[in-house]
Structures are given as C-alpha cells and as structure tokens.
Amino acid sequence: MTLLSIHNLSLPIEDPVLKFLLVLIIILAAPLLLNKIKVPHLLGLIIAGAIIGPNGFNVLARDSSIVVTGTTGLLYIMFLAGLEIDMGDFKKNKWKSLGYGGYAFIFPFILGFLGAYYLLGFSTLTSVLFASLFSSQTLITYPLISKLGIAKNQAVNITVGGTMITDIATLLVLAVVVGMVQGDVGTSFWVKLSVSVILFSLIVLLVFPIIGRWFFKKVNDKISQYIFVLVMIYLAAMLAELAGIEAIIGAFFAGLALNRLIPHTSSLMNRVEFVGNAIFIPFFLISVGMLIDFTIFFKSFETLKVAGIMLVASIGGKYISAVITQKTFKFTKEEGTLIFGLSSASAAATLATVMVGYNIIVSETETGEPIRLLNEHVLNGSILLILISCTISSFVSMASAQKIAQIDNENTVSGNSHEEENILLAINHEETVERMVNLGILIKAHSNTEDLYALNVINEDKNESSVKNAEKLLHQASDAAAAADVSLQSLKRYDNDVINGINNVIKEQKVTDLIIGLENEKGFSPSFVYNLYNGYLQNDDVNVLVYHAAQPISTIKKYAVMIPLHSEKEAGFFHALLRIWNIARNSGATMTFYAPENILDILQKIIKKANIEAEFIIMNTWRDGEKTAAQLKEDEGLIVMMAKRGMQSYTPPMRLMPELLNKFLKNNNYLLIYPFSDYDKNNLETRSVGNHNDFMEIGNVIQKIFK
C-alpha cells in the first residue's frame, strides 16, 4: 500500500488524494466566504484557480484530470441551459432569440474587426477571426440565475436561445477562416459543412428523444438513468465535433433533445442539477482560472493594448446589443441589464477559437520563428478578457437577477391563502407508489413545499404484516419525494374501513386534492368503481384525481384533454384546470383540448397568459370525445374532467368511462379529475366562469402563478 508522502511534498502537488481534497476545499469555502462580502462565488472559483494554478503559486498543474472534469463542467452548463429552457416559451420567442442573436453577433464583431484591422494592423482573415472572438458568449452565470428561480423569464429565455446562435455563428466563422487559410474552401467544403451540421442536428433533436423515451420506459434504476444522461451529453458533444462545430453546441442540443423527458420537478432533474453545481461546474471555473497569468500584463505594452481593444469590443459590443434588444422587445431596465450580464462573459467558445487560431502557423520569419494566425498577444489578452468579462458578468447578473426575482415574488400569488393546497396520496400498491408521488409533485404549486401527504390505511386489528407493509410503502413514497427535493409527510391510519380512514384524514388535514392510483393490470375493478362512486366522490369539497400510469409520466409526448359541456360553471373548474396546467408546464407535454366552443374560447384567452403548447378541437358531444380517447397512440395520455351525478356538467355516459378505459387504454396513461362541487375551507380559490371578466381575471392569476 502506497502512503501519502507528505514529508517529500513538492509543487505542483501530484498526489491524487491531496489534489482532489484541495479542490473540494476551494469549492466548499468559496461560496461560504464570498457570499458574506456579496461577491459571486463563481468569480471566487476563477480567482482561486489563478492563485493555485501554474501561473500563480503552482500548487496544482492544469493536467488532464483538471481538463477532463472542467470540460464536463463546460458541457454541463450548456446542457443545463438547453434542459431548463421552456420549450413553449422558446418556440414562442424564437424570432426574438434570432433577433437578439443577430445583435449579439454583429455589434461585437464590427467593433472587433475595426480594432484589429485599423488599430492593430492585422490581415483581413486574422481580423475576421479576431472579431468573431467577441461575438460568442458563455452562460457562466446561468446556474446563478436558475438558482434564483427566474430561468423562465423571457429575457433569460431569448438570451439562452441567442447564445446558441452566436456560438454557432462564431464557430462556423472559425471553420471557414481555418479552411481559407489552409486553402480548403471550395464548393465541396461548403457542401460538407452544411450536410454535416444538418445531419448532426437531425440525429440529436430527432433520434435522441426516441432513444431517451425508450430508455426511461425500460429502465427504472436511478443511477443508470443519470449515467444515461451523461452518455447523451458526451455523445452529442462528440457528434458536434465530427460535424465540424464545437462540442458545447452538441451539449446544448442534447439539453433541448432531453428537455421534455426530464421534467423540471423530477428527481432526475434534481440529480442532474445537484451533481453539476456541486462538482463539474466548479471544476470548470477553477480550470479557467488556471489559465490566467497576471505577470504577462507587466511584460509587454502590446499585450495590454490588444487586451484593451478586446475588452472594448467584447464588453462594449454586448452592452450595445443588450440595450438595443431591450428597446426592440420592450423589456424592463432590469431585464436589459440581465441580458447584458448573462451575455458579457467570454470563456468557452472564445478560448476554443483563440487556441485553434494560435496553433495555426501561417508562415515563418527569416529566423525560423512561426507566424501564427492569432499571436501570443491575443492569447494573453484573451485570458484577461475571460477574467474581467466573467467578473462583470457575475456582478451584473447577480444584481439584476435579484431585482427581477424580488419583483416576481411581490407579484406572485402562488402560495397565498386563496391558493393554499393540501395534496393527499392514498397509496396501497407498491407498483403505483413512485408514479403517484411523481404526479403529486407535478401538479402541486411551486411554492407548496410541505403540504404533500401520503396515507396508508391499516386494518384496526393491527396485523403485523399490514403494519410493516404500510411502513414500507410510506418509506418508498418519502424516498421518491426526497429525491426530487420535496418534503412528503407520511400518515398511517388505523381503521376497519379504508374509505372512512381516508375521509377522516381529508377532514383532519383539510385536503384539497385526493390522488388515487389504479393498478396497471387491473385498471377499474368492480370493487374500485363501487368505492369511487360510493366513497371517495362523496366528498363535495375535494378535487379527486384517479390516476393510471402505464409508463413514466415524463415519457408522455401528448395529452388529449376532454372537458365536457358546462364544466366552466362548476365551483372547482379553476382549481382542476390548474392541475392540468401544472402537468403541461412541468412535464413539457403538449396538450390537445377537446371541449365545446365556448370553453375553448376561455382556454385560448387564458393560454396567452401562461405559455404552454396546446391545440384546440371542438368536441360537440361526449361520444365524440370517447371516440378520440379510444384512438390514442403509444406515448399519448388522456386527461378527462369528469363530474358527479347532480353537477351541471354531468352526463350519463360518464358512468361508462371505466369500461371504455379498461377496454381501449390498458397500455396508456390516463387521469380522471372530479372537480369539487362545494368548497369553503382554506379560502381556496373557488370560481366558476360566468362572464368574460371572470376568465380574464383567471388568466391574470395563472400568469402570476407561473412566473
């Protein structure tokens, strides 16, 4: 056994245990120390990397272990940006993203080209490549923005989309300039580049989701699912490099491809973010810091001159593009500042471009010294650019993001007394536990962190095996919720009748939503149907959801949502509609609403306030809806807003729904929602829609809830 030779310690440290320990101490200490003096810890990690790196005190070498882990962190940042982007908002704002991407590329490029060509005397090709350095941007502060809960803000959304555009454009410029220097540009070059980029995009955006959906349906092991995500990130990065573009674009595309398969509220999303923010991203920031050499700026005036021009072109260009974007799309001053803060950091694509240009030798001097496409002054200047741009980005992003988060919190109504919710999962079968918990997490309000309950009713004879089974199921439910960073309260109830036990807990905990799971194979059994109509639905003040999960909820592409005539007149209509909206927002599945024309008018007006992907089809009769439900395809689910006898939206064919589901949808997910007909506890929002002012007000409420 080899012992740590601490007595013979030399710099840089080579012992792997000591190296990793030192890096972990930095990752741990930076946020704790710097948060007290209001300095973003991202910046602290970069400075720490410079101090301990080869150009500082040479404590650690920037060897392959640092580079590999740091590269993973860089890919992780881009992957998270693609994963957390709201696809509904992204599609809605695609032209804004394109417009911002154009601004963010053009203005820094113009400033950079003028500085290189007229002030530094570079050749045309070198000036073009030099100018492209400042058009790219690295979302180094994105984890900070995400942590503050404003990742869905429209300004953030278009900045992320624009980053993809600027980075792709920058790296395409690099590919073209390198090709021209090496004399390879011709028709075949353009054809090869175009075909490879198109093939890459099609493979990642079309094939990856198919593979991912299949994998998540077949494999339930959490560790395997996370490793699969890492494989997809690196595979997309490798395919991007094969296509002639940078790996970071591949990671971003992988995030877009898996976006709908990893719900934002899921345990897998929690794992992905946790590991990235704890290990990989900090390693990347430290590895960037290790490139910084402060001494070079005291050795050469030319380096300072080049660095000054780079800073003006990069920071000035990004500021101009952010201001014009703010004016063009009528963003607030804080949102405009946030766009500048997010986009002003230069690290990933800038560094990649500089290194490629530096390594290309154009010719040699008479003494045999190489003349590079980008000289050492540009290389050293880029290091200063990285340090200063990341500093500005960190401070500006944090300040503006906190202001926006504060404004959103003041405007938000979610979690106020009239939106209070208590969700109860009545668990009884092991196979349904995890999927019921996932549904509960999906439908709950974001602000609801404590009012999720799991209940198992034990027969009063207190049979030992029944007690152990209850404890096992409740423990399983708690673990599933904890994996998504959600607190779930476990309840055991002793009662000789399951219905009575559940009803008593509903009263004690002031439950607003009761979720009941169906066994996958059995579906609606005669005994369950009897308990449903004669037990669960006897509560007039509870939203009852009956859930059948044939596959993980994240693998559902599309839901058909049936809403019967007069549903808008029910007291629980708004509350039930919010459950459907939450499923759409948190899972990313598209919704097809089948409803009478007057209800579709209501939904279309509301949907302008809360961006989800939806289409609307008029359903004239209940029978039309049943035919649609019977024709669902694989990976499609059904949501039906039901009614109890005596409610205004009730129709007799609803009694036949269990038989129809058993017959046609054994292999599909479906959810039946029975809205409450009378509600007064907790001051919950109880509203039917009687006129146009009502649904416009509901739309405003939904908009605030989803901010």
Side-chain angles (χ1 to χ4, degrees):
M1 180 178 178
T2 304
L3 297 176
L4 174 64
S5 53
I6 198 74
H7 300 293
N8 301 318
L9 194 63
S10 60
L11 298 180
I13 296 171
E14 295 184 0
D15 183 83
V17 176
L18 191 55
K19 282 173 62 178
F20 201 73
L21 173 62
L22 182 59
V23 173
L24 289 179
I25 290 174
I26 293 171
I27 294 172
L28 173 64
L32 297 177
L33 297 176
L34 296 175
N35 285 345
K36 293 184 178 181
I37 57 175
K38 305 299 182 183
V39 175
H41 70 273
L42 305 178
L43 178 59
L45 292 170
I46 293 174
I47 295 173
I51 293 171
I52 67 170
N55 299 315
F57 291 104
N58 197 29
V59 178
L60 293 180
R62 194 174 187 272
D63 56 17
S64 59
S65 62
I66 298 291
V67 172
V68 168
T69 316
T71 301
T72 302
L74 172 57
L75 297 179
Y76 228 97
I77 289 175
M78 296 303 293
F79 175 73
L80 284 177
L83 192 63
E84 293 190 359
I85 197 170
D86 189 294
M87 294 305 293
D89 286 345
F90 185 69
K91 288 184 177 180
K92 184 178 179 181
N93 300 318
K94 59 187 175 184
W95 299 115
K96 290 182 179 179
S97 292
L98 187 62
Y100 164 70
Y103 293 149
F105 181 84
I106 291 170
F107 290 109
F109 186 91
I110 292 173
L111 292 178
F113 183 84
L114 293 175
Y117 193 78
Y118 292 104
L119 298 180
L120 298 177
F122 290 169
S123 67
T124 303
L125 278 180
T126 301
S127 297
V128 168
L129 185 59
F130 180 83
S132 71
L133 297 177
F134 318 118
S135 297
S136 66
Q137 54 201 43
T138 303
L139 298 173
I140 204 165
T141 57
Y142 185 83
L144 173 72
I145 302 302
S146 179
K147 191 178 293 184
L148 287 174
I150 60 170
K152 292 182 183 296
N153 183 282
Q154 189 181 51
V156 177
N157 204 285
I158 72 160
T159 305
V160 172
T163 297
M164 175 180 65
I165 293 165
T166 59
D167 285 358
I168 289 176
T170 297
L171 297 167
L172 287 177
V173 169
L174 173 64
V176 172
V177 170
V178 170
M180 292 180 74
V181 169
Q182 296 174 345
D184 294 337
V185 175
T187 304
S188 61
F189 170 81
W190 292 108
V191 171
K192 181 181 177 182
L193 182 63
S194 301
V195 171
S196 62
V197 170
I198 291 171
L199 278 176
F200 156 75
S201 302
L202 291 176
I203 290 172
V204 176
L205 296 179
L206 297 181
V207 178
F208 273 35
I210 295 172
I211 297 172
R213 186 168 282 106
W214 172 84
F215 186 87
F216 290 135
K217 283 167 68 174
K218 299 293 183 184
V219 180
N220 293 321
D221 180 66
K222 305 305 178 187
I223 296 175
S224 297
Q225 289 183 349
Y226 178 74
I227 298 299
F228 172 79
V229 170
L230 287 182
V231 169
M232 290 292 102
I233 296 172
Y234 267 97
L235 181 58
M238 185 197 71
L239 290 174
E241 290 184 336
L242 289 175
I245 54 179
E246 194 61 31
I248 55 175
I249 303 301
F252 181 80
F253 272 49
L256 293 178
L258 299 181
N259 184 287
R260 298 187 188 281
L261 296 173
I262 306 178
H264 298 155
T265 56
S266 66
S267 58
L268 181 56
M269 183 63 145
N270 190 46
R271 290 186 184 92
V272 169
E273 289 183 328
F274 177 82
V275 176
N277 292 326
I279 301 294
F280 293 127
I281 294 174
F283 259 95
F284 164 67
L285 298 171
I286 292 172
S287 71
V288 168
M290 286 182 170
L291 293 168
I292 298 172
D293 183 1
F294 296 104
T295 62
I296 59 174
F297 307 112
F298 304 103
K299 296 177 180 177
S300 170
F301 175 76
E302 183 67 20
T303 296
L304 289 176
K305 179 183 175 183
V306 172
I309 292 173
M310 294 176 79
L311 285 168
V312 170
S314 180
I315 305 299
K318 294 302 180 186
Y319 181 77
I320 293 170
S321 62
V323 170
I324 293 178
T325 301
Q326 177 193 336
K327 302 294 184 185
T328 303
F329 303 123
K330 296 180 172 59
F331 287 132
T332 64
K333 183 180 178 181
E334 288 77 14
E335 288 174 327
T337 307
L338 179 60
I339 292 174
F340 169 63
L342 261 175
S343 63
S344 57
S346 297
T350 301
L351 196 58
T353 305
V354 169
M355 293 306 295
V356 171
Y358 181 76
N359 290 327
I360 292 178
I361 298 174
V362 180
S363 60
E364 293 183 353
T365 63
E366 294 179 356
T367 58
E369 293 183 5
I371 298 177
R372 302 177 184 275
L373 186 58
L374 293 178
N375 60 35
E376 64 272 9
H377 299 302
V378 176
L379 177 63
N380 294 332
S382 68
I383 301 303
L384 184 62
L385 172 63
I386 289 172
L387 176 62
I388 294 179
S389 67
C390 289
T391 302
I392 293 173
S393 178
S394 298
F395 279 105
V396 173
S397 295
M398 187 170 73
S400 55
Q402 286 176 339
K403 289 180 182 177
I404 292 172
Q406 185 177 356
I407 293 170
D408 285 353
N409 288 336
E410 289 172 358
N411 291 335
T412 248
V413 298
S414 180
N416 290 347
S417 60
H418 67 284
E419 288 301 328
E420 187 175 343
E421 63 181 19
N422 298 293
I423 300 173
L424 178 65
L425 313 176
I427 60 174
N428 195 36
H429 307 289
E430 185 175 354
E431 67 173 72
T432 65
V433 171
E434 184 175 354
R435 294 183 179 182
M436 285 177 66
V437 171
N438 290 339
L439 177 66
I441 293 171
L442 214 59
I443 68 168
K444 76 177 186 67
H446 180 71
S447 60
N448 182 1
T449 57
E450 297 179 350
D451 299 320
L452 185 64
Y453 303 87
L455 168 69
N456 183 266
V457 179
I458 305 170
N459 193 283
E460 276 189 331
D461 64 11
K462 300 181 182 180
N463 182 282
E464 186 178 343
S465 61
S466 298
V467 174
K468 286 184 177 180
N469 184 62
E471 291 174 346
K472 177 184 176 183
L473 295 179
L474 293 172
H475 181 71
Q476 187 178 342
S478 296
D479 284 351
D485 206 18
V486 173
S487 175
L488 180 141
Q489 301 183 45
S490 299
L491 303 173
K492 278 188 295 186
R493 184 83 184 189
Y494 294 96
D495 204 304
N496 58 5
D497 183 85
V498 173
I499 303 297
N500 286 338
I502 293 174
N503 288 343
N504 288 333
V505 171
I506 287 174
K507 295 171 186 174
E508 293 166 5
Q509 303 297 339
K510 297 181 180 179
V511 170
T512 61
D513 298 83
L514 170 65
I515 300 178
I516 310 160
L518 291 171
E519 290 184 85
N520 193 21
E521 297 298 326
K522 292 183 179 179
F524 280 94
S525 63
S527 61
F528 181 86
V529 173
Y530 177 84
N531 289 336
L532 177 65
Y533 289 117
N534 297 288
Y536 305 122
L537 295 181
Q538 296 305 307
N539 295 287
D540 293 331
D541 53 2
V542 174
N543 195 45
V544 179
L545 298 91
V546 181
Y547 182 47
H548 174 266
Q551 65 188 75
I553 200 166
S554 62
T555 61
I556 301 297
K557 293 182 188 174
K558 182 178 180 181
Y559 285 97
V561 183
M562 289 172 53
I563 303 179
L565 188 67
H566 303 310
S567 289
E568 78 281 8
K569 298 177 182 178
E570 306 295 357
F573 174 72
F574 174 56
H575 186 78
L577 193 61
L578 275 179
R579 306 307 110 190
I580 298 171
W581 242 254
N582 279 338
I583 291 173
R585 278 297 268 192
N586 294 326
S587 71
T590 57
M591 296 281 171
T592 302
F593 288 95
Y594 296 86
E597 191 170 2
N598 66 316
I599 294 180
L600 293 183
D601 288 340
I602 294 171
L603 297 175
Q604 285 174 316
K605 287 183 170 63
I606 293 176
I607 208 167
K608 293 177 181 178
K609 303 287 185 178
N611 292 321
I612 65 171
E613 291 186 72
E615 57 181 316
F616 305 91
I617 298 175
I618 296 174
M619 182 179 74
N620 293 314
T621 67
W622 184 257
R623 295 294 184 192
D624 292 341
E626 289 181 344
K627 290 177 183 176
T628 301
Q631 296 171 355
L632 285 184
K633 300 175 183 176
E634 186 181 2
D635 299 327
E636 292 184 351
L638 175 69
I639 300 175
V640 186
M641 198 174 287
M642 301 285 285
K644 296 178 286 187
R645 188 186 296 275
M647 294 173 66
Q648 295 184 68
S649 58
Y650 177 78
T651 179
M654 285 183 178
R655 299 283 291 195
L656 302 176
M657 182 57 74
E659 295 178 21
L660 181 141
L661 295 174
N662 282 345
K663 183 176 181 181
F664 294 106
L665 297 181
K666 275 189 174 182
N667 299 318
N668 293 80
N669 284 24
Y670 54 80
L671 177 67
L672 304 186
I673 304 178
Y674 293 84
F676 54 76
S677 55
D678 179 34
Y679 205 97
D680 56 9
K681 64 189 176 188
N682 295 336
N683 294 318
L684 189 82
E685 185 73 21
T686 304
R687 181 179 298 158
S688 58
V689 178
N691 57 58
H692 285 241
N693 291 331
D694 281 340
F695 64 69
M696 288 307 292
E697 185 180 348
I698 289 174
N700 291 330
V701 171
I702 288 179
Q703 182 185 28
K704 291 176 181 178
I705 287 174
F706 287 136
K707 267 197 172 182

